[in-house]
Amino acid sequence: MKVDLTAIVVTVLLLQLCVAPFAQEKKSEQGLGLTTQSSPTGQTGAGTGSMGMVAAKPGQADGTGNPRLGGGRRPLYRLNHSDVVTLSFTLSPEFDQTLTIQPDGYVALKDAGPVLAEGLTLEEFRLAVLRAYTGYLHEPQVAVALKEFEHPSFVAGGEVGRPGKYELHAETTIMEAVEIAGGFTHEARHSQVLLFRHVNDGLVEARVFNLKKMLKEKNLGEACLLRSGDLIFVPQNSVSKIERFLSKPSLSMYVSSTQF
């Protein structure tokens, strides 16, 4: 049997030309960190069950903060008392409701009783609502939205130009927070700026920052980012020693605990 070598060579070249663009396209997608993923059928959300481009290795649902603080992701918002949430039931709109989280951290669900909400993320709270209605409603489907919430803020006290409470609109370092509060007074102890951070209902973490040294050495990378609820206190006199963790009543030696 006579083989036409020329025809074979042409066929191989054509195959290479067809495969190369496809391989290049796959390589480009990998370089962008993208992958195609099918959305599983869920209880809520638009576009359920469709194909889409999602980031590869998107990370965990919750994080430990900004990379400048040593964490890789922002923490998810957690519900607080006085927050207002709305519940929308896809198949049972008569159960739609707007709820205010009470001082004890609970909400009273219609026909399902109290459910703890304070300290939960929106997704955790949604799952808690589903559990509460499971058995009462057939395959309940609910979406949760945050309607009203306390805006992130910090308090600045002591030797600053304008002591008070300020909203956090963006990433703010302790140095920037002092400037927002009017800067240092002439009596301020720049080398011992105190940062008090809420740990739990009765405990506060205390840290000391030498902002005078940071400014002198132009090393502002050590100026940590604030979190909502932080209290900055600029003393007038030197602080000889301060414990790493304090009870809230102990703050009275620095500032009124009602400000925190």
Side-chain angles (χ1 to χ4, degrees):
M1 179 178 180
K2 185 177 181 181
V3 179
D4 190 343
L5 294 178
T6 302
I8 294 176
V9 171
V10 171
T11 302
V12 171
L13 289 175
L14 288 174
L15 287 174
Q16 289 178 341
L17 290 174
C18 292
V19 172
F22 178 77
Q24 182 65 31
E25 181 180 351
K26 296 297 292 183
K27 183 177 180 181
S28 299
E29 288 182 2
Q30 293 173 358
L32 290 172
L34 301 175
T35 181
T36 57
Q37 178 174 310
S38 177
S39 300
T41 301
Q43 293 182 324
T44 60
T48 302
S50 62
M51 296 289 290
M53 301 299 291
V54 297
K57 299 180 181 180
Q60 298 175 356
D62 205 348
T64 56
N66 190 277
R68 291 163 66 182
L69 285 177
R73 298 163 299 279
R74 288 178 179 272
L76 297 177
Y77 181 79
R78 294 187 176 276
L79 296 169
N80 295 303
H81 63 84
S82 298
D83 286 353
V84 179
V85 293
T86 59
L87 305 182
S88 301
F89 287 80
T90 305
L91 304 178
S92 308
E94 65 274 16
F95 283 91
D96 291 357
Q97 50 200 291
T98 299
L99 304 167
T100 300
I101 301 176
Q102 301 304 309
D104 61 2
Y106 284 80
V107 295
L109 297 178
K110 181 180 179 180
D111 295 337
V115 169
L116 180 65
E118 186 174 13
L120 302 182
T121 65
L122 288 179
E123 177 60 15
E124 290 170 345
F125 177 61
R126 188 185 73 85
L127 294 176
V129 172
L130 285 178
R131 287 193 295 270
Y133 280 105
T134 297
Y136 187 86
L137 295 176
H138 178 65
E139 296 184 356
Q141 299 180 24
V142 62
V144 177
L146 184 61
K147 185 177 181 181
E148 297 177 15
F149 62 98
E150 183 177 356
H151 293 279
S153 62
F154 69 93
V155 173
E159 298 301 323
V160 291
R162 297 185 300 274
K165 186 176 182 179
Y166 296 89
E167 288 190 3
L168 281 170
H169 294 289
E171 292 184 348
T172 304
T173 67
I174 186 173
M175 185 76 72
E176 293 168 336
V178 170
E179 292 301 316
I180 291 172
F184 294 110
T185 67
H186 294 297
E187 293 79 18
R189 179 67 62 174
H190 304 58
S191 60
Q192 289 187 316
V193 177
L194 305 177
L195 173 65
F196 298 101
R197 177 161 290 170
H198 175 89
V199 176
N200 56 40
D201 289 339
L203 197 63
V204 173
E205 180 184 11
R207 298 172 64 184
V208 182
F209 292 88
N210 190 340
L211 298 191
K212 182 178 180 180
K213 181 180 179 182
M214 290 183 192
L215 286 170
K216 183 178 180 180
E217 298 178 353
K218 298 181 180 180
N219 182 19
L220 303 183
E222 296 181 6
C224 78
L225 293 175
L226 296 190
R227 297 180 187 173
S228 181
D230 281 354
L231 168 62
I232 300 169
F233 186 80
V234 182
Q236 181 178 2
N237 302 314
S238 297
V239 179
S240 58
K241 185 179 180 180
I242 184 170
E243 297 293 331
R244 176 68 183 275
F245 295 98
L246 304 169
S247 63
K248 279 193 175 180
S250 301
L251 286 177
S252 59
M253 68 180 68
Y254 303 102
V255 66
S256 173
S257 59
T258 58
Q259 290 184 294
F260 189 69

